[in-house]
Amino acid sequence: MENLDFLDWEKKSPWFSYTKECKMCQCYGGWNLAINEYRLKGDDTRENRLNRHFKAVCPNCYGRGYVDQNEKCDGHVWQWVRNAGRCLDIYKCDKCGKQTEMDSGD
């Protein structure tokens, strides 16, 4: 059976210090959660077909496809730690202990 996780995705290119391949998304920056969930708009091109799929952005590389060259963790598993105010939350990786802030506000 064909793997549809990356159907219509293109691999990303390294970017500044982000030169180490992301092991979670295999350099695609994300993956498909469901195929053909939306109506095709426009011509049948790869870009338009990609917009038909219900997608997720990789939480390890934030959609870049690559992580920083000094990154030691092979795939962050973020766990909520605390709320730091209004829409700002602190998360910590279960694997390596790295902490990050995520703003859920618009």
Side-chain angles (χ1 to χ4, degrees):
M1 184 171 174
E2 181 185 0
N3 182 352
L4 301 176
D5 289 347
F6 304 111
L7 179 68
D8 295 320
W9 287 74
E10 284 187 350
K11 287 200 173 194
K12 306 278 185 174
S13 298
W15 184 69
F16 294 100
S17 68
Y18 297 91
T19 56
K20 186 176 177 183
E21 293 185 358
C22 178
K23 293 182 178 170
M24 285 184 77
C25 69
Q26 302 169 26
C27 302
Y28 286 99
W31 49 83
N32 296 319
L33 297 173
I35 304 298
N36 297 333
E37 285 295 304
Y38 307 104
R39 194 167 28 107
L40 181 65
K41 295 179 182 171
D43 297 330
D44 188 16
T45 62
R46 187 197 61 77
E47 291 85 9
N48 288 341
R49 283 193 310 273
L50 184 58
N51 290 328
R52 289 188 73 182
H53 310 316
F54 184 59
K55 304 177 292 289
V57 172
C58 180
N60 188 49
C61 66
Y62 304 106
R64 292 183 189 105
Y66 291 81
V67 295
D68 189 81
Q69 59 194 0
N70 300 319
E71 182 63 63
K72 306 246 185 298
C73 192
D74 62 350
H76 296 295
V77 178
W78 297 112
Q79 296 296 324
W80 182 84
V81 175
R82 66 182 173 86
N83 180 271
R86 290 205 176 199
C87 300
L88 186 64
D89 291 305
I90 307 296
Y91 287 83
K92 183 177 181 178
C93 177
D94 278 349
K95 290 183 176 181
C96 68
K98 180 178 182 176
Q99 287 196 6
T100 188
E101 297 176 344
M102 293 185 194
D103 186 350
S104 63
D106 291 339

